[in-house]
Amino acid sequence: MSQDNPSQAEYRAQVAAWMQHNRPADPGFLLPQTFMEVGSERVLEFLREWQHKVWSAGYLGAAWPKKYGGQGMSRDYQRIADEEMKRLQVPICFNVIGLGWAGPLILDNGSDYEKEKYLKGILNADDIWCQGFSEPNHGSDLGSIQTRAERDGDDYLINGSKIWTTMGNYAKYMILLARTDAQAERRYNGLSFFLAPMHRDGITTQPIQKITGEYGFTETFFTDARIPASCIMGEEGQGWRIAMQTLQYERGAEAGAAGGISILSIVMDDLLRMAAEIEREGEPLLQDPVTRDNLVKFMIEEKALQLAEKRTEIPALCRDYPNAIALSGKLRSTEFFRRMRQYALTLQGAQGSLYMGDQDTIGGGFWQRAYLNNFSTTIGGGTSQVQANIIGEHVLGLPKD
């Protein structure tokens, strides 16, 4: 948490008071830990109402222009609002692909018409967005995309399929990467980028049940689906460049997101509480020397992640490798939380193999659910292996893989 000036300190207090007063009551059903777990209408409507309420209070999109639904404030104020939402563990702002990826992209590259049409609906949760990048059999290799977009008069005719489409079954729009030129000399040059409507004939979605038993992803099918030619972003063949810019937002290497928390904060304090409650041979596990040693190592790593964020604000500390922290943030944080949650299950012993719904679980299976759901963060936006390649090439200057 950065040092606030008097105005920021006052704003922080306002945000905290509002969040505490308006925090929604327990809805009586399980809320998602991440935006990738919105799998039912009642969860969707609960989160839609909450996001609309946060936006109406001015605590979402604070740095976006006023004429597009924001508050026109500096990014520091949205950072403060986000920190308070995280600290007070209020529900997530679920429309993340709009808030964090499509929105900043439209702000940076879109026409006035596109900004007017799309941005406010992203903030107030009227319009849900999804992403159509990954495809079956191609995973993160976007250069191999096979979904076709063929120009036909004033439309493009779309055929193919996308997978791991978060909230595809609820989305009104998709940021879609499709192949418009199959004969391009470089496969990357044959791709185009669309702000595609989802409510069209020929577009269907199939929810995917995850290992947790929950939903949140879909496979999306396009069968002679017509979308207006006007929804292309940039020119035909410029899709790869725009997609790479979008991934920069997704990976946290490019600023501009509207804000809000997308993932419920599960931190070392939560793990310490669990370790204090579990007993081994009549003593709290927290008193075990080996366990304490391991927990301290995790605490050091968590603190290092927090300090790395502050380091980006001090140019002199980033001089040697200017983009290293931003480009490595996703890899370091998602892998840390995966290992931390896995260790929580290890501490539970045999009970760690149980799951939600079993009366003998510790904490109702909270850590089991958190661990399994964490894989969506180490895979989405490029797997950890892809992230390591990016760091190797763009930070360390190693040759391309």
Side-chain angles (χ1 to χ4, degrees):
M1 190 177 295
S2 301
Q3 186 70 38
D4 295 337
N5 63 35
S7 173
Q8 292 170 341
E10 182 181 357
Y11 182 76
R12 186 183 295 279
Q14 289 175 2
V15 175
W18 188 91
M19 293 292 164
Q20 288 167 330
H21 181 73
N22 290 279
R23 179 203 300 270
D26 185 343
F29 52 80
L30 207 57
L31 284 174
Q33 295 173 334
T34 80
F35 71 100
M36 292 168 279
E37 300 160 30
V38 181
S40 70
E41 292 283 351
R42 64 177 182 175
V43 170
L44 175 70
E45 292 310 312
F46 177 91
L47 293 176
R48 191 198 292 269
E49 183 178 344
W50 169 245
Q51 181 178 316
H52 190 279
K53 198 169 182 177
V54 174
W55 168 75
S56 298
Y59 301 135
L60 185 64
W64 284 16
K66 278 189 175 182
K67 61 181 178 180
Y68 302 131
Q71 297 295 316
M73 305 170 77
S74 82
R75 287 176 181 165
D76 280 338
Y77 287 91
Q78 186 61 59
R79 171 184 56 78
I80 289 170
D82 293 347
E83 288 174 352
E84 290 305 302
M85 284 188 257
K86 184 177 181 181
R87 182 178 69 83
L88 296 168
Q89 296 192 316
V90 296
I92 62 172
C93 289
F94 77 106
N95 197 15
V96 172
I97 294 173
L99 296 170
W101 310 337
L105 183 71
I106 294 168
L107 269 174
D108 287 343
N109 298 333
S111 64
D112 290 342
Y113 169 78
E114 288 168 334
K115 293 173 185 176
E116 183 74 28
K117 179 178 180 180
Y118 297 121
L119 293 178
K120 186 175 180 180
I122 288 174
L123 290 172
N124 65 20
D126 280 352
D127 301 337
I128 300 171
W129 284 69
C130 65
Q131 182 187 45
F133 282 14
S134 296
E135 295 186 354
N137 303 320
H138 299 298
S140 299
D141 182 10
L142 300 186
S144 295
I145 277 177
Q146 297 299 310
T147 295
R148 297 290 305 274
E150 297 177 77
R151 185 68 184 259
D152 185 20
D154 293 333
D155 298 326
Y156 277 95
L157 204 60
I158 313 294
N159 281 284
S161 65
K162 298 290 180 179
I163 200 164
W164 310 124
T165 318
T166 305
M167 289 185 285
N169 48 336
Y170 302 127
K172 184 175 181 180
Y173 298 107
M174 168 186 277
I175 45 175
L176 170 66
L177 191 62
R179 188 165 298 282
T180 44
D181 183 357
Q183 306 302 320
E185 187 173 342
R186 291 182 72 249
R187 58 180 183 165
Y188 307 109
N189 293 342
L191 298 171
S192 297
F193 195 98
F194 300 89
L195 305 176
M198 288 288 285
H199 300 161
R200 294 278 169 156
D201 291 342
I203 301 178
T204 58
T205 58
Q206 178 63 49
I208 299 171
Q209 188 175 31
K210 297 181 289 187
I211 193 172
T212 61
E214 299 168 294
Y215 294 87
F217 300 118
T218 66
E219 184 168 2
T220 304
F221 302 93
F222 301 87
T223 307
D224 292 334
R226 287 185 176 275
I227 62 173
S230 59
C231 71
I232 194 170
M233 177 167 258
E235 303 291 334
E236 262 195 25
Q238 294 182 341
W240 180 259
R241 178 184 61 78
I242 299 172
M244 292 304 101
Q245 183 178 352
T246 307
L247 290 175
Q248 291 290 83
Y249 301 118
E250 182 175 355
R251 293 164 180 165
E254 193 76 38
I261 53 173
S262 59
I263 297 176
L264 185 65
S265 180
I266 300 172
V267 295
M268 282 305 299
D269 284 346
D270 298 306
L271 182 53
L272 294 177
R273 276 194 293 274
M274 189 199 77
E277 293 168 0
I278 296 176
E279 290 192 354
R280 179 180 294 168
E281 298 178 350
E283 294 289 335
L285 200 52
L286 197 55
Q287 301 302 318
D288 174 66
V290 175
T291 301
R292 291 171 68 89
D293 185 53
N294 288 329
L295 289 172
V296 167
K297 290 176 182 174
F298 277 114
M299 292 170 70
I300 291 171
E301 196 171 348
E302 183 183 64
K303 191 66 176 176
L305 287 170
Q306 295 168 354
L307 292 176
E309 291 184 17
K310 287 188 174 183
R311 186 176 167 186
T312 60
E313 301 169 6
I314 307 172
L317 297 178
C318 305
R319 189 172 298 148
D320 292 340
Y321 299 99
N323 296 317
I325 295 176
L327 289 174
S328 64
K330 177 181 182 296
L331 174 64
R332 289 181 290 106
S333 61
T334 58
E335 285 295 332
F336 165 75
F337 286 115
R338 181 190 61 76
R339 288 185 288 103
M340 186 262 273
R341 295 170 188 198
Q342 185 178 33
Y343 186 65
L345 299 184
T346 302
L347 293 181
Q348 293 183 12
Q351 288 171 286
S353 63
L354 304 178
Y355 197 63
M356 293 188 307
D358 193 307
Q359 62 180 1
D360 293 326
T361 54
I362 294 174
F366 171 86
W367 286 100
Q368 285 84 344
R369 183 181 182 225
Y371 172 64
L372 293 174
N373 277 323
N374 196 81
F375 284 100
S376 60
T377 67
T378 57
I379 296 172
T383 65
S384 293
Q385 290 75 20
V386 169
Q387 303 303 315
N389 266 352
I390 290 172
I391 295 166
E393 294 170 8
H394 297 282
V395 178
L396 302 178
L398 298 177
K400 284 187 174 295
D401 183 20

